[in-house]
Amino acid sequence: MDHNGRDDDRKKEDNKEEENGLSLERVFENQEVPSWRNQLTLRAFVVSFVLSILFSFIVMKLNLTTGIIPSLNVSAGLLGFFFIKTWTKFVERSGLLKQPFTRQENTVIQTCVVASSGIAFSGGFGSYLFGMSEAVAKQSTEHTDAFKNPSLSWMIGFLFVVSFLGLFSVVPLRKVMIVDFKLTYPSGTATAHLMNSFHTPAGAKLAKKQVKVLGKFFSFSFLWGVFQWFYTAGDGCGFASFPSLGLKAYENQFFFDFSATYVGVGMICPYIINVSVLLGGILSWGLMWPLIDTKKGDWYPADLKASSLHGLQGYKVFIAIALILGDGLYNFFKVLSRTLAALFFQLRVRNATSNLPIADRSSPESSKILYDEQQRTRLFLKDQIPTWFSIAGYVAIAAISTATLPHIFHELKWYYILVIYIFAPALAFCNAYGCGLTDWSLASTYGKLAIFVIGAWAGASHGGVLAGLAACGVMMNIVSTASDLSQDFKTGYLTLSSPRSMFVSQLIGTAMGCIISPSVFWLFFKAFKDLGTTGSQYPAPYATVYRNMAILGVEGFSALPKNCLYLCYGFFGAAILINLIKDALGKKWARFIPNPMAMAIPFYIGSYFAIDMCLGSLILFIWEKIDKVKADAFGPAVASGLICGDGIWTLPSSILALAGVKPPICMKFLSRRTNSKVDAFLGS
C-alpha cells in the first residue's frame, strides 16, 4: 500500500536519529507520562464525541455514494490536537488548567474517534445492513419478499451485541504481536509519528499551520455545498449533473460532478487506486455495457425493467462481484499464507526474534538495546489487562449475542451464531496479524465468506438471504474491530500510551459509534426517500452488491443472465492474474499495475467520481512537482478540509429535506433538439 513506503522512510530517519543519540523519547524525557486513568480525560471524550459525529457523517456519505473510504486518521489526530490546544489555552489564561495536553491524551482522542466512525463502515449501513431493506430488495427480481427495513431500535441493539467481541478476542495477544513479533502496523505507526511530531516544538508550529489550511478548505468546501444546493430542485438538476464532457458521455456516466469530497479523497488515495477506478469506468461504461446492450433481445429480453437482474443490470452487478471476489480471495489467501508462514517461523525462533525481517530493527549482532524501545516496552507491559478478563468478556458477550440475535433476525438461528463465534477469535487474530504485516484489513472479505457459508447452510426456504447478510455483519464487526484495536495498540506503544487507556478509549469509541452511526444513517434514511435507488444522490452501490451475493449464495448460478457466468469466470480469473503479475514484478513496477477491487467499483455506479478523484490526484501530482515539502506537509490537510466541509454539509441538507424545504432553482442541461421541443411546447 501507498503509505508503506512513506512509513519505511520515516523509520529509517528515526533509526538514524537513534544512532546519533537523538532518540525520540529523549526529547520527551522531561515530560512525565500520565497514569492510564489521567490519559482518559473528560475533555478528551467531549472532543471525541463532537469529532465522532463529524466523521460519522463523512463516512456515511462516502458509504452511500461509492463505498470508497480513505484513512481519516490524520484528520482525526489533527482536529483533536486543535480542539484540545484551543481548550487548554483558554483555560490556562483563566488560571484553571490542572493538566497539560499530552501526546497520550491526543492518542486517546484519535483512537476513540476512529473506533466510533469505524462503526459507520463495519455497521454495514452502505452494504449488508441496508442490503436487507425493502428499497434494495425491490431492485432485485428474486427474494423481493425477504427484507427487514431499518429501524433505529434494532440497529442500535444489533451493533451493541456484535461490535465489542473483536476487542476482547485480540487483547490477550497484544504483547505477542507488538513486543515479541514487533509487527509494523504501518497505519498505526504513521499515526504515532504524527502524534509525536505534534507535541515537539517544531511539530506544534507546523500543526497550527496545517489546522489553518484545513480550516480554509473546510469553509470553502462547506460553502460550495451550500451554493450547489440552491440549484437542485428536481431529479437530474444542479452541478452534480453537469455534462462537462458532453451529453453522450454524461449518459454513460462520464462527467465531472463538482464534488469537493471526491477531489479530497483523490488527494489521499494512492495514484494507482484513482487510475484503477478510471480504468474500470472506461472498460465497463465505455466499452462493455454499450456492447452488451446491443445483445438486447438475444442475451436477455428487451422488455425488462432497467433494474432487473436478468437484464443489463445483472451483468453490471455480477461481473463487479466476480472482480471483487477474485481480488478479495487472492489477497485473503496471500495474507493468510504470509501470516501462517511468518507465525510458524517466529514460533520456531522465539528466542531469536531480533533476526526477523518483519520490523526494521538494528542488526542482531548489536547487543545495544535502544533507549526508545526500553521505555516503550516497559510502559507497554506496565498496565496489564488480565487474560481472564478478556476471555470472560468474550464468552459473556458471545452468550448474550447468541441469545439476542435470533430475536432481531429470525432467520439467523442460534447455532449459526455459535459456529461463527467459535471460529471468530482465530479469524480475528489472522486479520489483526495480517494487518500488522501488510496494513490490509480483510474484514469485508471475511464478511463475504460468511454470506456464502451461512446463506448456503440456511437455504432459500429458510430465509438464507437475510441469514447470510446478518452473518456477514456479525463476522465483519468482529474481525474489523480486532485489527483496529491492534493498530491502536501499536500507536499507543510508540506514543507511550497505556494499553489500558487504548482499550478503554476503543470501548467508549465503539459504544459512541453504536449510537451515533445508526442515528446518522436514520437521518439519511428519513431525509432522502430515494436512498439506495440506482441513479439517485445516494445509490448505496454495495447494498445491492452484498444482497446479490447473498442471492447467489442461496440460489447458485441460476440467478445469472445468459453468458454472464462465462464473463464472471473471465473477470474472476483476470483479478487473480493481475494480482499475480503485481506480486511477481516486485515493488518497482507493481505500483503501475491497476487494483482489481478499485476497478470493480465503477462497474455498477459509473465513473463520474473517478474523474473527481483523478483531478485530486492531478492537483497533488503538480503540487509535488512544484514544492514537494509543502505538498507533503499540507496535502493531507487540504484533502481533509475538502472532505470534512462537504461531509458536514450533509447534516443541514438532511435537516432541510426532513423539514420539507426545497431548493428554489433547477439547473438542467438539454440537447439542442430537446431544447427546441421544450421551447415549442412552452410557446404553444
Side-chain angles (χ1 to χ4, degrees):
M1 286 188 80
D2 183 55
H3 43 238
N4 276 350
R6 283 194 296 240
D7 202 57
D8 291 342
D9 293 342
R10 279 179 181 151
K11 262 193 250 114
K12 280 172 193 164
E13 283 169 26
D14 282 351
N15 285 348
K16 275 181 200 166
E17 280 186 0
E18 283 163 348
E19 282 161 22
N20 296 333
L22 298 169
S23 89
L24 182 70
E25 294 309 331
R26 291 213 184 272
V27 175
F28 295 102
E29 206 171 12
N30 298 324
Q31 290 181 18
E32 189 189 345
V33 176
S35 69
W36 71 273
R37 281 191 179 87
N38 288 340
Q39 291 172 25
L40 303 164
T41 61
L42 179 63
R43 67 189 181 197
F45 290 116
V46 169
V47 166
S48 298
F49 182 73
V50 173
L51 290 178
S52 293
I53 294 170
L54 166 67
F55 284 105
S56 293
F57 267 98
I58 294 164
V59 173
M60 199 65 68
K61 182 180 179 177
L62 296 170
N63 251 335
L64 295 170
T65 45
T66 63
I68 298 175
I69 300 161
S71 171
L72 298 168
N73 289 22
V74 173
S75 321
L78 195 59
L79 287 169
F81 175 81
F82 166 68
F83 279 122
I84 297 281
K85 264 292 185 205
T86 310
W87 171 274
T88 49
K89 261 195 174 175
F90 176 75
V91 177
E92 200 169 12
R93 278 177 192 163
S94 60
L96 297 170
L97 186 65
K98 289 177 182 171
Q99 190 177 334
F101 180 41
T102 61
R103 56 189 172 138
Q104 288 81 17
E105 193 179 350
N106 207 162
T107 307
V108 162
I109 295 169
Q110 193 270 339
T111 299
C112 189
V113 173
V114 172
S116 179
S117 56
I119 299 289
F121 165 70
S122 62
F125 302 102
S127 55
Y128 65 85
L129 192 136
F130 189 42
M132 299 178 188
S133 68
E134 190 177 7
V136 177
K138 273 182 187 168
Q139 293 177 65
S140 302
T141 43
E142 288 86 10
H143 302 276
T144 50
D145 55 338
F147 63 83
K148 185 175 179 69
N149 275 324
S151 153
L152 207 51
S153 55
W154 76 252
M155 288 190 298
I156 291 173
F158 168 70
L159 289 173
F160 265 106
V161 294
V162 300
S163 296
F164 294 91
L165 277 149
L167 306 180
F168 286 95
S169 67
V170 85
V171 163
L173 300 163
R174 70 196 178 284
K175 178 183 174 289
V176 172
M177 291 196 277
I178 307 296
V179 178
D180 297 348
F181 293 168
K182 301 211 170 291
L183 297 174
T184 48
Y185 288 103
S187 287
T189 303
T191 305
H193 282 298
L194 190 75
M195 298 297 152
N196 286 330
S197 70
F198 284 167
H199 294 269
T200 58
K205 270 186 187 172
L206 178 63
K208 276 181 191 169
K209 288 178 186 170
Q210 287 171 326
V211 167
K212 239 182 197 173
V213 169
L214 191 149
K216 275 181 194 169
F217 282 88
F218 177 95
S219 306
F220 163 75
S221 178
F222 182 83
L223 293 170
W224 175 237
V226 175
F227 176 73
Q228 285 188 85
W229 177 81
F230 284 96
Y231 298 90
T232 54
D235 290 336
C237 297
F239 286 90
S241 302
F242 195 118
S244 43
L245 301 173
L247 286 163
K248 191 69 186 166
Y250 176 78
E251 280 171 30
N252 285 295
Q253 303 292 313
F254 282 94
F255 59 97
F256 175 56
D257 74 343
F258 293 89
S259 165
T261 295
Y262 283 101
V263 173
V265 169
M267 290 179 75
I268 292 176
C269 285
Y271 294 132
I272 193 62
I273 295 294
N274 300 327
V275 172
S276 300
V277 171
L278 187 62
L279 277 175
I282 293 167
L283 178 64
S284 54
W285 289 87
L287 190 68
M288 285 171 56
W289 307 155
L291 282 174
I292 293 172
D293 196 41
T294 62
K295 302 290 182 184
K296 192 189 286 183
D298 178 15
W299 284 16
Y300 58 93
D303 57 349
L304 287 174
K305 281 196 304 181
S307 62
S308 172
L309 285 175
H310 290 296
L312 184 58
Q313 186 79 339
Y315 295 93
K316 292 177 186 176
V317 171
F318 290 115
I319 293 172
I321 288 172
L323 259 181
I324 289 166
L325 286 177
D327 186 68
L329 289 174
Y330 176 87
N331 284 297
F332 171 69
F333 286 112
K334 182 177 92 173
V335 172
L336 188 66
S337 59
R338 276 190 191 176
T339 299
L340 294 175
L343 190 59
F344 174 71
F345 179 62
Q346 285 175 331
L347 290 172
R348 275 185 62 195
V349 288
R350 186 72 181 268
N351 297 327
T353 47
S354 54
N355 288 326
L356 290 173
I358 284 162
D360 295 336
R361 301 189 62 188
S362 56
S363 65
E365 290 78 35
S366 165
S367 59
K368 187 180 83 173
I369 298 172
L370 297 172
Y371 174 78
D372 282 11
E373 211 165 294
Q374 269 184 319
Q375 286 286 89
R376 289 164 181 168
T377 306
R378 182 176 63 80
L379 283 155
F380 190 75
L381 300 178
K382 184 180 148 199
D383 294 323
Q384 291 294 333
I385 302 166
T387 304
W388 66 263
F389 171 77
S390 47
I391 293 170
Y394 185 86
V395 172
I397 297 171
I400 294 165
S401 184
T402 307
T404 311
L405 284 174
H407 294 289
I408 300 173
F409 306 106
H410 302 302
E411 300 81 3
L412 192 66
K413 306 299 178 195
W414 66 269
Y415 42 89
Y416 301 158
I417 305 161
L418 190 64
V419 168
I420 291 172
Y421 287 161
I422 289 166
F423 289 102
L427 298 176
F429 170 72
C430 285
N431 194 44
Y433 193 103
C435 195
L437 290 172
T438 63
D439 211 31
W440 275 54
S441 173
L442 297 172
S444 55
T445 308
Y446 287 102
K448 286 163 199 155
L449 292 175
I451 290 180
F452 288 115
V453 173
I454 303 297
W457 185 4
S461 58
H462 295 93
V465 173
L466 288 183
L469 290 168
C472 170
V474 175
M475 181 64 80
M476 222 169 125
N477 274 286
I478 293 170
V479 295
S480 175
T481 50
S483 64
D484 287 351
L485 182 60
S486 302
Q487 291 272 21
D488 292 333
F489 277 144
K490 182 69 176 185
T491 305
Y493 173 77
L494 294 170
T495 56
L496 302 192
S497 305
S498 165
R500 280 191 193 177
S501 66
M502 292 291 93
F503 182 67
V504 173
S505 177
Q506 185 91 13
L507 278 178
I508 292 170
T510 303
M512 282 181 189
C514 290
I515 296 167
I516 294 169
S517 291
S519 304
V520 169
F521 174 73
W522 191 244
L523 189 64
F524 275 86
F525 186 67
K526 286 292 177 190
F528 304 103
K529 298 300 175 193
D530 58 355
L531 192 76
T533 309
T534 310
S536 67
Q537 187 182 354
Y538 297 106
Y542 276 110
T544 306
V545 166
Y546 273 67
R547 185 177 182 88
N548 286 297
M549 280 185 193
I551 291 170
L552 199 60
V554 170
E555 293 287 329
F557 296 130
S558 61
L560 302 177
K562 188 182 176 183
N563 292 325
C564 186
L565 182 60
Y566 301 116
L567 287 167
C568 287
Y569 282 149
F571 278 88
F572 183 85
I576 292 169
L577 185 65
I578 290 167
N579 276 301
L580 281 168
I581 293 167
K582 196 170 191 167
D583 286 342
L585 286 176
K587 268 189 181 177
K588 189 183 175 186
W589 297 105
R591 60 200 176 98
F592 298 110
I593 305 294
N595 180 295
M597 186 81 77
M599 285 178 74
I601 297 164
F603 271 50
Y604 176 58
I605 53 168
S607 52
Y608 55 91
F609 67 95
I611 291 163
D612 303 349
M613 289 171 69
C614 285
L615 180 66
S617 265
L618 184 65
I619 290 166
L620 188 67
F621 181 77
I622 293 167
W623 192 2
E624 282 181 342
K625 289 291 173 195
I626 296 166
D627 189 343
K628 186 158 176 26
V629 176
K630 266 201 170 167
D632 288 346
F634 295 103
V638 170
S640 301
L642 290 172
I643 294 168
C644 294
D646 197 26
I648 206 63
W649 162 244
T650 55
L651 174 57
S653 71
S654 305
I655 293 165
L656 288 169
L658 278 173
V661 178
K662 295 261 177 17
I665 306 163
C666 172
M667 182 174 75
K668 213 162 194 171
F669 296 86
L670 307 171
S671 67
R672 189 170 58 234
R673 187 183 296 170
T674 309
N675 190 51
S676 301
K677 285 179 185 174
V678 170
D679 284 347
F681 175 76
L682 291 172
S684 65

